Amino acid sequence: MADIVGAHIWAAGQLVDVDPELAFRHAEAARRRAGRLPIVREAAAETAYAAGEYAVALREFRAIRRMTGGDELLPVIADCERALGRPRDALEVLAELDESTKDVNLRIECLLVEAGIRRDLGQEAEAYRLLKAAISRKIGSPLAQARLRYALANMLELDGDTAGAREWFTSAASMDPGGVLDLSDRIAALDGVVLPDFTPDEEDEDDDAEDDEDWDDVEVEWGDRDDDSDDDDPNDSDDDDDEGDSDEDDDSDDDDSDEDDDAAEDDSDEDDSEEDDDSEDDEDRLRDSDDEETDGSVPAEADQIDPDGEGDDK
């Protein structure tokens, strides 16, 4: 539950200046779940005030003041009453401010709201008096003085005094170097100049889109180069020729080897044939020798031998 409430509060804070209505819905979702927490009621009140839901904002601001005490919320409570068309009730709220308070900025906030209420009631002179008196005393911070001058210039513009309005807008701009207030736009509007609306997020998106397009062009260019290199690379044809030559050499080597083997086999067959012939000749000679022995012919020396051994005695 705590994570859900925290997420709604975070979203409300992120969206309050961008989409106040959506921020208010997030704050309301958090309030329904944890309405007793002051931070949740404060988020609901501020987003309701920004979204123009003044009745809800008034209810929430009053609830917060009851829980926390103090007079810090009196200006916004009175302004909600004024926005709801109850200026007398708004003046009564401002009357609750402690007279002994030393918070100058709080007093200036109450004075700004009272000046608006006085003008709504048709008391323009009193409204001008309040603002000019605070400006002349130079009370508050530079930004507070810029806001007093802004309020005076806005009243003068509403009353048709554009020259006076421009003078006080310019004076307020000198005290707001940080550009918190929209003084440049107000002065430009009085001068009839329309300033271009620069949105940082849109500029960043355009820059990112341009960068992406540049990278796409680079990738396409390199892709084309790769394709061309594949088609036109002379090394590929050389490699193919080398492979063809190598295959031919291998085939010729195989043919030579086969011829050598055939020649060796022929030589071996001839040798075997010659050996067979020699062997047949030897066998023929042996047969002839055996035939001669079996013919009965006796050599001459055999006649001189006595078979009985008597010849030796003679």
Side-chain angles (χ1 to χ4, degrees):
M1 180 66 71
D3 293 338
I4 296 175
V5 173
H8 281 300
I9 295 297
W10 179 85
Q14 295 293 316
L15 295 170
V16 65
D17 294 328
V18 179
D19 191 345
E21 294 182 358
L22 182 57
F24 171 63
R25 289 164 55 190
H26 278 289
E28 279 292 287
R31 186 188 62 80
R32 288 193 299 269
R33 292 170 172 81
R36 294 182 179 275
L37 296 178
I39 188 173
V40 174
R41 304 301 289 267
E42 183 178 355
E46 291 181 355
T47 55
Y49 184 83
E53 300 288 341
Y54 296 111
V56 177
L58 178 61
R59 181 193 69 203
E60 297 301 326
F61 280 131
R62 287 189 179 277
I64 296 170
R65 190 179 181 216
R66 287 194 299 268
M67 287 187 290
T68 61
D71 295 340
E72 292 80 7
L73 296 178
L74 287 179
V76 291
I77 293 175
D79 199 41
C80 288
E81 293 283 7
R82 175 197 171 197
L84 293 171
R86 300 193 290 259
R88 300 292 179 181
D89 294 337
L91 290 176
E92 292 178 1
V93 171
L94 293 177
E96 298 177 13
L97 179 64
D98 187 0
E99 295 181 356
S100 63
T101 184
K102 297 181 179 179
D103 190 342
V104 177
N105 290 326
L106 177 58
R107 285 189 174 276
I108 291 176
E109 290 295 329
C110 291
L111 188 147
L112 289 169
V113 175
E114 183 179 357
I117 296 171
R118 294 298 179 181
R119 191 176 188 283
D120 293 342
L121 292 172
Q123 303 173 5
E124 288 85 356
E126 180 63 15
Y128 280 117
R129 186 193 67 80
L130 291 172
L131 293 174
K132 289 180 179 180
I135 292 171
S136 63
R137 291 197 302 268
K138 298 180 180 180
I139 60 175
S141 64
L143 182 58
Q145 279 290 313
R147 295 186 63 199
L148 288 169
R149 287 166 167 77
Y150 186 99
L152 179 58
N154 186 64
M155 289 178 59
L156 290 169
E157 184 181 3
L158 292 174
D159 292 338
D161 187 359
T162 57
R166 192 183 192 288
E167 178 184 354
W168 284 106
F169 276 135
T170 303
S171 177
S174 65
M175 307 194 75
D176 181 26
V180 177
L181 306 175
D182 61 341
L183 293 165
S184 298
D185 294 335
R186 298 300 297 269
I187 294 172
L190 290 174
D191 294 339
V193 177
V194 179
L195 297 178
D197 185 13
F198 293 107
T199 304
D201 294 338
E202 293 180 357
E203 292 178 356
D204 294 340
E205 291 177 359
D206 293 339
D207 294 339
D208 294 339
E210 292 178 359
D211 293 340
D212 293 339
E213 291 177 358
D214 293 339
W215 277 110
D216 291 339
D217 294 339
V218 172
E219 291 177 357
V220 170
E221 181 179 355
W222 279 105
D224 294 339
R225 290 185 180 179
D226 292 340
D227 294 338
D228 294 339
S229 63
D230 292 338
D231 295 337
D232 301 335
D233 189 359
N235 293 328
D236 293 341
S237 60
D238 292 342
D239 293 340
D240 294 338
D241 294 339
D242 293 341
E243 290 178 0
D245 295 340
S246 177
D247 293 338
E248 293 177 357
D249 294 339
D250 292 339
D251 293 338
S252 62
D253 292 340
D254 293 337
D255 294 339
D256 294 339
S257 176
D258 293 337
E259 293 177 356
D260 294 339
D261 292 338
D262 293 339
E265 290 178 357
D266 294 339
D267 294 338
S268 176
D269 292 338
E270 293 177 357
D271 293 338
D272 292 339
S273 176
E274 292 177 356
E275 290 179 357
D276 292 338
D277 294 338
D278 294 337
S279 177
E280 290 177 358
D281 294 337
D282 293 337
E283 289 179 357
D284 292 336
R285 285 194 292 273
L286 289 174
R287 289 194 196 96
D288 294 337
S289 175
D290 292 338
D291 293 337
E292 291 177 356
E293 291 178 357
T294 56
D295 286 340
S297 58
V298 179
E301 293 83 1
D303 295 338
Q304 299 175 6
I305 297 173
D306 187 2
D308 298 331
E310 293 178 357
D312 293 334
D313 293 335
K314 293 180 177 178

